[in-house]
Amino acid sequence: MLISEAARITGLTPKMIRHYEDLGLLNSDRAPNGYRVYQDQDLDTLHFIVRAKELGFNLADIQQLTSLWRDQQRPSSEVKQLAQAHIKALESRAALLLDMAAKLRVLAEQCQGDHQPDCPILDGLEGGHCSGSAQKTA
């Protein structure tokens, strides 16, 4: 199948598929006319990449995961270690996002939301009234 069909099936753009090829995650065959031709195993690889991206893995991790996936002699401990490191990073980012939401919630609760120009949200972003934030620097 051609790249347009592979893109349609996987939900990726042709540009992303070519990018994954450039990174070595995928190797397509070439038809006599020079067009890229994809097989079922290429679609499997693209679906694998899509699922890994959905779980938040970066391209370096996806390269490693793809390599491990293709290696039938791999120790599962390497895969688990990579997954556990990613879980720790995700949990750390989630905690940071929750902290950011809590700070913004405090500012939003302080805002009257009326027709007056006073706005604790903007003041907090400026650095003047956000509880727990650093004082405004010149």
Side-chain angles (χ1 to χ4, degrees):
M1 82 188 66
L2 298 178
I3 196 168
S4 59
E5 181 70 6
R8 185 189 65 73
I9 291 170
T10 61
L12 296 167
T13 64
K15 183 177 181 178
M16 282 308 300
I17 293 173
R18 285 190 295 272
H19 179 64
Y20 294 147
E21 274 191 73
D22 291 343
L23 293 174
L25 293 171
L26 183 69
N27 295 311
S28 65
D29 295 325
R30 295 286 181 149
N33 60 7
Y35 289 175
R36 290 174 168 90
V37 179
Y38 298 92
Q39 308 300 323
D40 288 341
Q41 68 266 22
D42 298 319
L43 292 179
D44 292 342
T45 299
L46 290 170
H47 284 298
F48 183 91
I49 293 167
V50 167
R51 286 188 295 271
K53 293 281 292 174
E54 288 172 350
L55 290 174
F57 284 100
N58 63 37
L59 285 175
D61 288 341
I62 291 173
Q63 285 175 314
Q64 191 174 359
L65 285 167
T66 303
S67 177
L68 289 165
W69 177 54
R70 290 178 178 145
D71 179 5
Q72 296 301 306
Q73 303 304 312
R74 70 186 170 263
S76 64
S77 61
E78 286 184 45
V79 181
K80 185 172 182 174
Q81 183 179 23
L82 186 62
Q84 288 175 323
H86 187 60
I87 290 166
K88 185 175 180 179
L90 287 172
E91 290 173 343
S92 184
R93 278 192 283 171
L96 179 62
L97 289 171
L98 288 172
D99 183 57
M100 290 166 45
K103 288 177 182 175
L104 185 55
R105 184 175 295 108
V106 168
L107 293 173
E109 289 170 355
Q110 293 172 356
C111 183
Q112 295 299 314
D114 56 18
H115 292 85
Q116 298 298 315
D118 296 331
C119 183
I121 298 169
L122 295 177
D123 293 342
L125 293 174
E126 182 182 14
H129 296 92
C130 183
S131 61
S133 70
Q135 290 298 315
K136 181 179 171 182
T137 58

